[in-house]
């Protein structure tokens, strides 16, 4: 069971993501019906740590094993989707693929769970400000190289 709880007019989400960088590009995902990108990952399941979540999500979505290099940051993210408000706690870990062949991938990847509406792309770090990456503060994390940090992103104010 995912850690998403409805409290009054908010949903509380606990999420974990990976930053995977190769050749000065970061791997992100995008739903073809959305106008923004996000880091790979997903909701933490009850009884699961954020690092376990990241490994599980990447394995489920891409069929690839990753190694977590280090914990980077926590982002408190406040946003609204389809009329619902969210308060999200987002744990971000730096990771890399375990398989040496996977480390060389530079092409767009497909979701292996049958979710054809999701694709995985490599965005150039030197042009990251040109892309609609959510939450927006992740761009500062990618450019900052000072960890760990605590960020707050509030799209509701």
């Amino acid at each position: 069971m995912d850690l998403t709880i409805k409290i009054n007019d908010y949903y509380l989400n606990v999420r974990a993501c990976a930053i995977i960088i190769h050749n000065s590009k970061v791997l992100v995902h995008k739903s073809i019906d959305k106008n923004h990108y996000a880091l790979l990952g997903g909701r933490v399941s009850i009884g699961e740590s954020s690092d376990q979540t990241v490994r599980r999500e990447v394995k489920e979505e891409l069929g690839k094993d990753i190694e977590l290099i280090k914990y980077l940051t926590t982002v408190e993210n406040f946003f609204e989707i389809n009329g619902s408000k969210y308060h999200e706690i987002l744990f971000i870990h730096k990771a890399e693929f375990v398989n040496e062949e996977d480390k060389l991938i530079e092409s767009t990847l497909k979701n292996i769970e049958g979710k054809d509406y999701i694709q995985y792309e490599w965005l150039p770090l030197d042009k990251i400000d040109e892309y609609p990456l959510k939450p927006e503060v992740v761009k500062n994390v990618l450019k900052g190289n000072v960890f760990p940090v605590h960020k707050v992103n509030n799209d509701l104010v």
Side-chain angles (χ1 to χ4, degrees):
M1 173 177 274
D2 291 340
L3 280 174
T4 299
I5 303 164
K6 181 150 176 59
I7 303 170
N8 298 323
D9 61 342
Y10 272 88
Y11 286 94
L12 173 64
N13 267 350
V14 180
R15 211 165 162 264
C17 295
I19 289 179
I20 300 173
I21 296 174
H22 174 68
N23 283 342
S24 299
K25 296 179 181 175
V26 62
L27 187 60
V28 296
H29 74 92
K30 181 181 184 302
S31 292
I32 59 173
D33 62 339
K34 304 281 188 223
N35 63 356
H36 67 274
Y37 295 90
L39 296 174
L40 276 70
R43 291 187 178 107
V44 175
S45 292
I46 192 77
E48 181 179 58
S49 66
S50 66
D51 56 327
Q52 291 170 325
T53 298
V54 172
R55 286 187 192 94
R56 174 182 54 78
E57 287 285 346
V58 173
K59 185 72 169 183
E60 288 174 358
E61 294 175 13
L62 296 176
K64 312 254 182 237
D65 292 315
I66 60 169
E67 173 185 8
L68 298 184
I69 307 304
K70 65 181 173 179
Y71 165 77
L72 296 180
T73 189
T74 300
V75 174
E76 285 187 73
N77 191 22
F78 298 86
F79 60 96
E80 188 172 328
I81 294 179
N82 300 327
S84 296
K85 294 179 187 174
Y86 287 83
H87 179 170
E88 180 176 80
I89 309 299
L90 174 61
F91 298 97
I92 302 176
H93 299 267
K94 184 171 177 62
E96 63 182 38
F97 292 121
V98 171
N99 183 303
E100 291 300 319
E101 289 180 23
D102 291 340
K103 292 179 183 180
L104 302 176
I105 296 171
E106 294 190 29
S107 59
T108 299
L109 300 167
K110 300 289 182 190
N111 180 285
I112 65 165
E113 298 174 292
K115 297 177 180 175
D116 295 334
Y117 56 92
I118 300 176
Q119 60 188 22
Y120 304 83
E121 301 175 28
W122 296 93
L123 301 183
L125 288 171
D126 63 346
K127 296 181 180 176
I128 201 67
D129 285 327
E130 298 174 21
Y131 293 89
L133 180 61
K134 299 287 182 183
E136 185 78 21
V137 296
V138 168
K139 293 178 183 182
N140 295 332
V141 172
L142 289 167
K143 295 185 289 188
N145 278 332
V146 178
F147 306 106
V149 294
H150 174 233
K151 296 283 189 183
V152 176
N153 185 80
N154 193 342
D155 290 343
L156 298 177
V157 291

